[in-house]
């Protein structure tokens, strides 16, 4: 059996891509290979569960276009498949006068991205939305929502297997890729599979999978762990919905925020700490191979040099709960160290190029018979069905 398409990785990007290909052309023979025992075990299953509105992203960028379009597709998908979500809205808060120009830029960006219902807030209006939150100016974004992306992925998996006759193999880590005439032979520990087209949606390992095909790529994945605390039950009423700071434009991360979750509870986080292992969810997780690859990459050496203070600050906050609490107190002055319990963590796959840029936009790199997704960080969960749609278009051109 020769597959038309093999997708490597059953996170939300791979699943949404498979679904969109099948919607366009149900007869295409697809196999998804996933090294874990189920879908959504990495970035997708450990994220903040936010349906992003698109306010942050540069108009016209892949992030902006796919987030705005993906938002609509995701809401329809949830409605059609009875997946619980809530458009609870969020506020972005400036706590220091220095942040006001950046907040104003965000507001303009939101309008340029077509988010007409966003509103500027003065300190009293901030209190109307979030009585315990402190800010000198803010933006209310009514579009933002919350969902459980694992649930979205379980539904996608069921549709793919039951309605679209796709093959999904779990516990199938791809360890090698060989070219066989114009096809690819994809090797796992126990099997090999042949395909006309391979799509690489392997998240934290997407650079390594791309290299297995013999491609020369100009980026490496640098893992950044995001750690969360959870608000103790009796303190959850301090936050009604979602509260975000003004992000630092030098970084592709949104800053530590408060997120109410669809399944209940309120999370605070995530920070962004360099991880010494690609799937290093714990502070002491370490892999010599992963660490060496990050540290030896000239681009990451430049990032470390440029942002030493910021990086050390994140490490300090990671190990010091007091420092983490202090960052949160800027938004929510009443919050105390004892109100926070250690929560889960997620690891972001952030591509970094050779020149030292942390790639801000989504990055897709194609070659004959190969489509690689080499950077799909936040808001790729929100954007997944739109990303899937555009990869599906590219994929059908290859066949
Ligand atoms: C802490 C955190 C918070 C976030 N918050 C949000 C949010 O609120 N909203 C939002 O829209 N986005 C958010 N994001 C981003 C979003 O979660 C990711 O962009 C998205 O999940 C990426 O999905 P993916 O399928 O590309 O990658 P992943 O979910 O990481 O999936 C990749 C899959 O490939 C598999 N794989 C890897 N190597 C191999 C191999 N060799 N063989 C077989 N399989 C392999 C992995 O096991 C994994 O299942 C967040 C991310 C993080 C980390």
């Amino acid at each position: 059996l020769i597959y038309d398409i093999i997708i490597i990785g059953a996170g939300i990007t791979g699943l949404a891509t498979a679904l969109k290909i099948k919607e366009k052309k149900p007869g295409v023979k697809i196999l998804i290979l996933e090294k874990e025992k189920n879908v959504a075990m990495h970035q997708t299953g450990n994220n903040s569960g936010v349906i992003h509105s698109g306010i942050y992203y540069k108009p016209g960028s892949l992030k902006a276009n796919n987030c705005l379009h993906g938002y609509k597709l995701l809401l329809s998908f949830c409605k059609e498949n009875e997946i619980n979500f809530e458009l609870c809205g969020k506020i972005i808060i400036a706590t220091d006068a220095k942040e006001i120009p950046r907040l104003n830029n965000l507001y303009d960006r939101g309008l340029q991205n077509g988010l007409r219902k966003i509103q500027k807030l003065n300190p009293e209006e901030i209190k109307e939305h979030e009585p315990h939150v402190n800010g000198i100016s803010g933006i209310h974004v009514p579009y933002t929502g919350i969902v459980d992306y694992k649930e979205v992925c379980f539904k996608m998996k069921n549709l793919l297997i039951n309605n679209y006759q796709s093959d999904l193999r779990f516990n199938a880590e791809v360890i090698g890729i060989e070219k066989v005439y114009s096809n690819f032979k994809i090797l796992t520990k126990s099997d090999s599979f042949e395909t006309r087209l391979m799509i690489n949606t392997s998240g934290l390992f997407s650079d390594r999978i791309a290299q297995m095909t013999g491609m020369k790529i100009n980026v490496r994945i640098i893992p950044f762990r995001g750690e969360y605390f959870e608000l103790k039950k009796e303190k959850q009423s301090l936050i009604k919905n979602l509260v975000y700071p003004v992000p630092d434009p030098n970084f592709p991360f949104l800053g530590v925020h408060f997120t109410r979750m669809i399944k209940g509870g309120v999370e605070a986080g995530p920070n962004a700490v360099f991880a010494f292992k690609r799937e290093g969810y714990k502070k002491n997780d370490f892999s010599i191979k992963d660490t060496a690859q990050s540290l030896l990459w000239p681009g990451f050496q430049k990032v470390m040099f440029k942002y030493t203070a910021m990086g050390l600050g994140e490490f300090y906050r990671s190990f010091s709960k007091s420092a983490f609490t202090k960052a949160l107190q800027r938004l929510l002055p009443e919050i105390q160290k004892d109100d926070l319990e250690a929560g889960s963590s997620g690891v972001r796959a952030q591509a970094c190029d050779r020149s030292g840029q942390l790639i801000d936009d989504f990055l897709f790199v194609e070659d004959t018979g190969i489509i690689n997704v080499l950077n799909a960080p936040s808001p790729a969960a929100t954007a997944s069905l739109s990303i899937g749609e555009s990869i599906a278009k590219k994929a059908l051109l290859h066949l």
Side-chain angles (χ1 to χ4, degrees), residues 177-212:
I177 298 172
E178 290 167 6
K179 191 101 192 158
V180 186
Y181 301 104
S182 62
N183 292 346
F184 286 102
K185 195 161 144 195
I186 316 264
L187 311 173
T188 65
K189 280 187 190 126
S190 51
D191 289 294
S192 72
F193 306 91
E194 199 170 327
T195 183
R196 295 165 65 200
L197 171 68
M198 61 155 274
I199 302 178
N200 167 14
T201 53
S202 58
L204 284 153
F205 291 96
S206 53
D207 55 346
R208 286 200 198 148
I209 295 285
Q211 286 176 304
M212 281 182 200

Side-chain angles (χ1 to χ4, degrees), residues 9 11-13 34-35 42-44 47-48 50 174 202 376-377 380 382:
I12 201 165
T13 309
E34 167 56 54
K35 68 179 165 63
H42 291 289
Q43 294 180 89
T44 306
N47 69 17
S48 302
V50 175
V174 172
S202 58
T382 308

Side-chain angles (χ1 to χ4, degrees), residues 218-222 224 249-253 297-304 306-307 350-361 363 374-375:
N218 189 34
V219 293
R220 291 294 179 274
I221 295 294
I222 307 294
F224 285 95
N250 289 320
F251 284 91
F253 312 121
W297 180 240
F300 187 60
Q301 292 168 1
K302 289 179 190 138
V303 169
M304 283 193 299
K306 239 187 333 193
Y307 300 117
Q350 174 59 51
C352 172
D353 73 10
R354 190 173 273 281
S355 74
Q357 298 298 321
L358 294 175
I359 306 289
D360 190 42
D361 211 356
L363 179 65
L374 292 184
N375 198 44

Side-chain angles (χ1 to χ4, degrees), residues 13 17 199 201 364 371 373 387-396:
T13 309
T17 298
I199 302 178
T201 53
F364 309 106
I371 303 174
V373 177
I387 294 175
E389 209 171 73
S390 69
I391 301 177
K393 265 189 217 140
K394 293 182 211 280
L396 295 178

